[in-house]
Amino acid sequence: MTKKPLILVTNDDGINAPGIRTLIAVMNTIGDVVVVAPDSPQSGMGHAITLDSTLYVEQVFIDDGPQTEYSCSGTPADCVKLAIREKLTRKPDICVSGINHGSNSSINVIYSGTMSAAIEAGIEGIPAIGFSLLDYAWSANFEATKHFVKTITENVLKQGLPNGIVLNVNIPNLAKENIKGIKICRQAKANWVEEFDKRKTPQGRDYYWLTGKFVNLDGGEDTDEWALENGYISVVPIQFDLTAHHYIQNLNTWNLND
């Protein structure tokens, strides 16, 4: 018999979120699943790790599936680190993170706890995918994602990924029959135009709420934003080597050692 792949599942919306429950169900049809996920929502945590407080990990039983599950008090990156070092008996064949409630396309990948968990796995040499659905609601319907999540995961297990490459997958909030297909894309050049809503407490102390709007500055038809706006699933290969290799030669012309 062929040995089933060992699949590590995590997220940033918390272990009880409908998105991760859907992801677990899909992964159970592919391999042996171990879940290590935050015990509460950790959206927007990026690649934060816990250094100044204790971490707790507790085995939990949320449904009657065959997976083994652990709830962690830390961040998504913490969850992957703890899974690899403490809870898994061997290196997983793949790590899948999500399914996130909301977009992680374009610049959002920088802030995303979902993608940071996948990137942490990639740093450890584990093929990894972050999945997101473009619906922020807790009651989001993930039914249409199942087929595509399984297809992409099985392809990564079969084809593998180069060291240093992680897939960022975003799925439009459409019925399955209205999704036109899967497009391999680049990350769109876009950013958040941010403002702070300044208020005062009853005691007169200032406090702030972050607000803003997402602005797509990229007119290309090969981007994740274009794909999603036009009914396609976007798949962007990302790397965690942040070196601007093309600028090294230019920097070498500076008189830095005078």
Side-chain angles (χ1 to χ4, degrees):
M1 288 182 63
T2 303
K3 189 176 183 180
K4 285 186 176 182
L6 177 60
I7 303 173
L8 172 61
V9 178
T10 190
N11 77 340
D12 73 351
D13 290 311
I15 198 166
N16 290 297
I20 196 173
R21 304 320 302 175
T22 300
L23 187 58
I24 292 166
V26 173
M27 293 304 116
N28 279 333
T29 69
I30 299 174
D32 295 323
V33 175
V34 176
V35 181
V36 183
D39 59 11
S40 60
Q42 297 280 337
S43 295
M45 291 297 291
H47 213 105
I49 56 174
T50 302
L51 297 174
D52 57 356
S53 61
T54 52
L55 285 170
Y56 297 93
V57 182
E58 178 183 2
Q59 187 168 4
V60 293
F61 302 89
I62 296 174
D63 58 40
D64 59 359
Q67 71 275 359
T68 301
E69 297 195 59
Y70 299 93
S71 174
C72 174
S73 64
T75 68
D78 288 331
C79 289
V80 174
K81 289 177 179 291
L82 277 162
I84 295 168
R85 301 284 180 259
E86 295 292 330
K87 296 302 177 184
L88 296 174
T89 57
R90 64 179 178 89
K91 186 176 181 179
D93 296 289
I94 193 169
C95 174
V96 290
S97 182
I99 302 169
N100 190 63
H101 292 241
S103 172
N104 278 318
S105 60
S106 186
I107 195 64
N108 295 300
V109 70
I110 296 293
Y111 309 107
S112 167
T114 298
M115 287 309 302
S116 290
I119 290 168
E120 183 63 35
I123 291 170
E124 294 284 347
I126 301 164
I129 316 167
F131 291 104
S132 302
L133 173 68
L134 273 62
D135 187 343
Y136 289 92
W138 187 262
S139 59
N141 185 349
F142 290 89
E143 190 62 34
T145 69
K146 293 179 179 178
H147 166 77
F148 301 104
V149 166
K150 183 172 184 178
T151 296
I152 293 168
T153 301
E154 289 180 333
N155 269 270
V156 170
L157 283 167
K158 180 179 179 180
Q159 304 291 342
L161 288 173
N163 283 337
I165 301 295
V166 172
L167 298 186
N168 182 18
V169 178
N170 283 271
I171 303 170
N173 186 23
L174 299 171
K176 181 182 175 183
E177 60 271 19
N178 294 329
I179 295 176
K180 296 178 182 177
I182 298 172
K183 279 196 175 292
I184 309 304
C185 308
R186 64 176 173 87
Q187 178 181 316
K189 296 177 182 177
N191 64 274
W192 286 91
V193 178
E194 296 167 334
E195 298 177 353
F196 286 91
D197 181 6
K198 183 178 179 181
R199 304 182 188 183
K200 284 187 180 292
T201 68
Q203 294 76 30
R205 185 178 181 184
D206 292 338
Y207 68 97
Y208 300 85
W209 286 104
L210 177 63
T211 64
K213 62 180 180 178
F214 182 74
V215 179
N216 184 6
L217 305 171
D218 198 322
E221 296 186 0
D222 58 344
T223 71
D224 49 6
E225 290 298 323
W226 186 94
L228 293 163
E229 289 172 6
N230 287 274
Y232 293 93
I233 293 169
S234 67
V235 177
V236 178
I238 65 169
Q239 58 187 9
F240 44 83
D241 176 2
L242 300 181
T243 307
H245 292 276
H246 65 282
Y247 198 63
I248 289 176
Q249 186 173 353
N250 185 291
L251 281 178
N252 280 326
T253 67
W254 292 18
N255 294 320
L256 298 174
N257 293 309
D258 289 352

